[in-house]
Amino acid sequence: MVHALDVSASLTSCSGVQRHRQPARRTTQPPRCRIQQQELGKPQAQQQQLSMREQPPAAQQHQQEEAWWRRHTQRPLAAALAALAAAPLLLGTPLDAAQARSPLTQEEKSTIQLFQRSRPSVVYITSLTQRRDAFTLNLMEIPQGEGSGFVWDKDGHIVTNYHVIRGASEVLITLSGGEGQPAKVVGYDEDKDVAVLKLDPKDMEGPLIPLKLGTSSDLEVGQRVYAIGNPFGLDHTLTAGVISGTQREISSGNTGRPIQDVIQTDAAINPGNSGGPLLDSSGAMIGINTAIYSYTQNSAGVGFAIPVDVVKSSVNQIIKYGKVVRPVMGISFAPDQSVEQLGVNGVLVLNARDGGPAAKAGIRGSSRDEYGRLIMGDIILSIDGKRINSASDLYRILDKCRVGDTLDVEVLRVDSKEHVSITLEASA
């Protein structure tokens, strides 16, 4: 039953083709139907060729003309349009640059303006050292290290970290867009890791642009900050971050003396950033990038900057006197670890310099008896009523004093506590 219906349908579809042939038997399909059934599995293009053979000559000519038009006109036109659309991708240039880039945010505009204003004030510093050639025995200067700095005033003073130029025989300063110029070392503060250099005005092509100085007394955690420097020799690199902490303490890499009130930031600081400025969102300098906490010597998100208030004190004295005059007691004391092993809290005096403020006040240093046993000297317990537990506490108080100030010092001498008055004198 199904087979009969199939044959009937085939006959109907082929009736126009077989009209001049002899009537076929019911059990046999027309020849043309057999051809079309065999061609059902062939591609459509081949089926179209077969159907064109069955059409009148005029219809075949019309279809051939349409095929020629598509092949020679439509396809090349489509290819040209596709090539035109792909041209910007191949060339890497948008058709309309203004439309391709989205407008800058207000924060981005402010950051760009901050960098453009501050860039001329940041310098690249190269320290040179002398080495003797192994073959000719001639002295030659080779690069020892590199770092950053910034313009302090229009007189040519440049401020950087002392460890950037430590041990250098000559220092070269490269201004923005300029060449390296020799600079003179005016002075330095090893305890605070600050150094002041000076350019000869005759060597400068144009006026210097000092960096605006801010204050570090009212900084807040979370405040936006920017670091500009020359990490790995990449000049004038800008990184951004926030203040991660305040009132940190680090040890000076030059003398081991602690530096208080240090700024902690997560702005990327890497080798070469040392001596560069840390800026707030207004472009004012609030610190000098000086150290990082990292096991790989690369930025790990924990950087430290010397606060600008400390820098001002050191720089002003260096420019005026050529050195930093700091009040001293004239003593040397034992490391904190040694005092802790003795089970004592305070600062153990090892020596009171002859003729110094402490010696004049009667402070006793440590000594040894004839058998080599240690006789402990005075242990400083407090100054002006403030408890002294470590050397950091002592330095923190002295940093706030001036030459000529008189301090009430409480000491532990053998088994008794005594008070002595010490008048501070200027460091040598």
Side-chain angles (χ1 to χ4, degrees):
M1 185 70 174
V2 173
H3 179 72
L5 290 174
D6 291 342
V7 172
S8 175
S10 300
L11 289 175
T12 303
S13 63
C14 299
S15 61
V17 178
Q18 301 292 338
R19 65 176 59 179
H20 299 296
R21 296 178 181 265
Q22 295 293 330
R25 298 179 181 179
R26 300 178 65 89
T27 59
T28 306
Q29 293 181 352
R32 189 59 204 167
C33 290
R34 288 199 302 270
I35 293 175
Q36 187 167 356
Q37 287 178 353
Q38 293 174 1
E39 299 296 337
L40 287 177
K42 291 187 177 183
Q44 185 177 2
Q46 297 183 11
Q47 296 183 26
Q48 290 178 355
Q49 291 179 1
L50 291 175
S51 61
M52 288 177 62
R53 296 172 189 165
E54 301 162 2
Q55 295 179 358
Q60 293 181 11
Q61 182 178 2
H62 179 69
Q63 289 188 0
Q64 290 177 357
E65 291 178 354
E66 288 183 350
W68 183 91
W69 176 260
R70 285 195 303 269
R71 186 168 60 254
H72 292 82
T73 305
Q74 295 182 355
R75 291 179 181 177
L77 180 60
L81 292 175
L84 182 61
L89 299 177
L90 296 175
L91 296 176
T93 303
L95 293 177
D96 191 345
Q99 296 180 358
R101 187 180 71 180
S102 58
L104 298 175
T105 64
Q106 186 60 41
E107 181 180 1
E108 290 174 328
K109 293 179 181 178
S110 300
T111 303
I112 292 173
Q113 293 174 0
L114 180 146
F115 176 72
Q116 291 175 347
R117 291 195 311 267
S118 306
R119 178 176 181 176
S121 303
V122 181
V123 302
Y124 181 84
I125 298 178
T126 304
S127 60
L128 305 177
T129 185
Q130 289 185 346
R131 290 288 185 273
R132 191 176 297 275
D133 187 90
F135 299 99
T136 64
L137 301 181
N138 293 330
L139 286 176
M140 28 179 216
E141 287 187 333
I142 61 175
Q144 172 184 263
E146 57 189 17
S148 307
F150 58 93
V151 179
W152 182 263
D153 55 31
K154 295 182 179 180
D155 296 330
H157 291 108
I158 307 296
V159 176
T160 185
N161 283 139
Y162 171 67
H163 74 261
V164 172
I165 64 166
R166 182 178 53 205
S169 59
E170 186 179 359
V171 178
L172 298 179
I173 294 180
T174 304
L175 299 172
S176 177
E179 299 181 354
Q181 304 175 17
K184 172 187 174 183
V185 179
V186 179
Y188 49 82
D189 183 359
E190 294 180 278
D191 293 335
K192 302 303 180 183
D193 198 18
V194 176
V196 179
L197 313 175
K198 193 174 190 303
L199 288 172
D200 189 345
K202 298 179 181 178
D203 298 333
M204 293 183 290
E205 298 179 356
L208 294 176
I209 304 176
L211 201 60
K212 183 175 67 173
L213 302 180
T215 180
S216 55
S217 60
D218 57 352
L219 298 178
E220 297 288 345
V221 175
Q223 186 175 333
R224 194 75 174 169
V225 291
Y226 304 87
I228 303 180
N230 310 291
F232 305 109
L234 303 173
D235 63 306
H236 296 91
T237 298
L238 173 69
T239 57
V242 297
I243 294 178
S244 306
T246 58
Q247 297 183 347
R248 303 302 193 201
E249 181 177 296
I250 62 174
S251 297
S252 171
N254 309 303
T255 62
R257 181 166 177 166
I259 306 174
Q260 289 88 19
D261 300 328
V262 173
I263 305 168
Q264 178 187 336
T265 178
D266 67 345
I269 299 176
N270 289 289
N273 272 113
S274 292
L278 184 70
L279 311 175
D280 63 11
S281 56
S282 68
M285 198 276 286
I286 59 174
I288 298 181
N289 303 316
T290 187
I292 58 175
Y293 184 85
S294 174
Y295 294 105
T296 62
Q297 296 185 350
N298 294 329
S299 176
V302 182
F304 299 101
I306 302 173
V308 65
D309 292 345
V310 174
V311 176
K312 289 177 182 178
S313 175
S314 297
V315 171
N316 291 335
Q317 291 189 64
I318 292 173
I319 294 176
K320 186 175 181 179
Y321 304 110
K323 62 178 182 179
V324 174
V325 179
R326 187 166 281 120
V328 296
M329 297 176 62
I331 63 172
S332 61
F333 46 84
D336 293 336
Q337 296 83 354
S338 301
V339 178
E340 291 176 359
Q341 292 176 359
L342 295 174
V344 178
N345 290 327
V347 173
L348 174 60
V349 179
L350 294 179
N351 180 50
R353 176 172 51 85
D354 292 340
K360 293 177 182 178
I363 295 294
R364 300 178 184 178
S366 302
S367 61
R368 293 187 180 273
D369 62 13
E370 57 183 352
Y371 300 104
R373 293 175 296 190
L374 176 65
I375 301 176
M376 290 193 302
D378 292 341
I379 300 174
I380 300 177
L381 301 178
S382 66
I383 296 179
D384 289 342
K386 297 179 180 177
R387 180 67 184 174
I388 303 296
N389 294 315
S390 63
S392 296
D393 296 335
L394 176 61
Y395 281 129
R396 188 176 293 109
I397 292 177
L398 292 178
D399 285 341
K400 297 178 181 179
C401 295
R402 297 180 179 181
V403 176
D405 289 350
T406 300
L407 305 179
D408 177 30
V409 181
E410 181 185 13
V411 299
L412 175 63
R413 181 172 296 168
V414 188
D415 294 328
S416 61
K417 296 180 181 180
E418 298 185 13
H419 287 262
V420 295
S421 296
I422 299 178
T423 301
L424 302 179
E425 296 180 2
S427 58

